[in-house]
Amino acid sequence: MCGRFAITLPNDAMAQLFAARPANDLPHVPNFNVCPTNLVHVVRSSDGARRLDALRWGFLPHWYKTETAGPLLINARAETLADKPAFRAACRERRCLVVATGFYEWTKSEDGQRLPWYIHRHDSGAIAFAGVWQDWGPETARQRTCAIVTTAANKKLGNIHHRMPLILEPEDWALWLGEAGKGAAKLMCPGAEEILEFHRVGRAVNSNRASGPGLIEPVQGD
């Protein structure tokens, strides 16, 4: 799964990397502790043009009467994405990329304490999570929401968690965004074996109120 991540790339650099037009209301960066319901950086494609937009992390199906009418859908499983009522239309028509520079997962110590790990590219570059999006709410209070697609963890990350975000490389972005025709289903499998590395970080990030670059600094134990 993916329940917390970091984004440190400047907005203009993100727009350039994804060849996308940036919106005026993009979230503040850097943010070393992006949490569910926060606005996140999302790349979408419409009529052949890409946009870098701010979307609420937490997908709201159209039948939710309120934001809390059902579970908070921050992740969508790749294996059932095309079949689940909440996601199947978005899987066909509204795929996106959620931009990050790293994400957190947790293991447990022998005494049951949650031990956080920071997972990132070995070159410290941007990560593009596969995502789906959905407009929700009345026209006067419309929200654009998203979920991150997850898959079974690859062998490298399997010792930390059995799930991981679906990470797409640049050569796959156009297909996922629908710019290169059909066939995005073939992208929904574990990958990123060679590009990711991880290290233990301090338990400060266990709080969703924590902030600052110290959250991703390596520690031996705390």
Side-chain angles (χ1 to χ4, degrees):
M1 63 174 294
C2 181
R4 212 87 68 74
F5 65 91
I7 176 65
T8 62
L9 201 65
N11 289 331
D12 57 350
M14 276 185 266
Q16 182 175 2
L17 175 64
F18 290 93
R21 180 180 177 182
N24 295 324
D25 60 348
L26 292 172
H28 173 76
V29 285
N31 185 348
F32 296 90
N33 194 6
V34 181
C35 302
T37 73
N38 286 174
L39 292 177
V40 296
H41 296 79
V42 171
V43 177
R44 301 183 302 120
S45 183
S46 178
D47 298 324
R50 292 181 184 175
R51 287 186 53 86
L52 178 64
D53 290 327
L55 272 67
R56 176 192 188 268
W57 184 20
F59 190 99
L60 296 173
H62 66 84
W63 61 81
Y64 277 23
K65 300 300 183 184
T66 67
E67 294 180 18
T68 57
L72 181 61
L73 303 176
I74 61 171
N75 294 155
R77 294 175 67 93
E79 298 88 340
T80 57
L81 186 66
D83 301 317
K84 286 283 188 180
F87 300 121
R88 61 191 176 199
C91 177
R92 294 193 304 269
E93 304 165 4
R94 296 185 299 278
R95 297 189 299 271
C96 61
L97 302 171
V98 181
V99 190
T101 43
F103 62 100
Y104 301 95
E105 288 296 355
W106 282 261
T107 54
K108 282 191 175 181
S109 65
E110 292 183 359
D111 59 359
Q113 296 188 62
R114 299 177 73 229
L115 304 177
W117 298 78
Y118 183 63
I119 304 159
H120 58 98
R121 291 182 66 102
H122 62 77
D123 59 5
S124 300
I127 299 174
F129 299 144
V132 290
W133 65 273
Q134 168 77 49
D135 280 340
W136 178 85
E139 289 289 342
T140 54
R142 183 64 54 94
Q143 291 191 61
R144 191 154 281 166
T145 71
C146 67
I148 293 170
V149 178
T150 66
T151 186
N154 60 35
K155 292 180 180 179
K156 192 171 188 177
L157 298 185
N159 291 330
I160 297 179
H161 199 277
H162 66 287
R163 304 287 298 176
M164 65 177 285
L166 177 58
I167 295 172
L168 301 178
E169 290 294 272
E171 60 268 23
D172 297 323
W173 294 348
L175 184 56
W176 184 258
L177 292 172
E179 300 166 346
K182 298 182 179 180
K186 70 181 183 182
L187 302 176
M188 291 193 282
C189 57
E193 193 82 46
E194 294 81 20
I195 68 170
L196 296 179
E197 59 185 41
F198 52 86
H199 58 262
R200 269 272 285 119
V201 294
R203 285 180 288 174
V205 77
N206 290 359
S207 169
N208 59 13
R209 296 182 180 181
S211 63
L215 296 181
I216 66 173
E217 292 299 318
V219 300
Q220 295 301 315
D222 65 336

